[in-house]
Amino acid sequence: MGRRTRPWWALPLQTAAMLVLGSTAVLAVRLNMTVGGLLLAAALLAHAAWDIHHHRTGRIVDHSFAQFCAVLDILVAAFVAAIALTS
């Protein structure tokens, strides 16, 4: 397997994304259960979109890992949203 090319801006961009999604998760914990759960589900869907972008560009992670993570994010987002809406 060949070496993957990573642009110079990959690490700062990944760090910024982690901070945004992590801050969203902390904010979701501080809100009421319904709003926080829906915010967390939206953040998971945003992360799934991030994974799909990585799958299409093939840069940061392997294709199989990006696929797995996107599917997992979508499933967990649906589960979290269902719990938030029924509680």
Side-chain angles (χ1 to χ4, degrees), residues 5-41:
T5 59
R6 290 182 175 86
W8 66 269
W9 43 263
L11 183 60
L13 185 61
Q14 291 288 329
T15 303
M18 180 189 68
L19 290 173
V20 168
L21 291 172
S23 299
T24 303
V26 169
L27 177 63
V29 170
R30 295 182 174 268
L31 298 173
N32 73 34
M33 189 168 183
T34 302
V35 175
L38 293 175
L39 182 62
L40 185 58

Side-chain angles (χ1 to χ4, degrees), residues 4-5 52-63 66:
R4 294 212 178 270
T5 59
I52 291 167
H53 169 72
H54 289 318
H55 181 266
R56 288 186 178 204
T57 60
R59 282 201 205 137
I60 306 300
V61 296
D62 288 333
H63 285 280

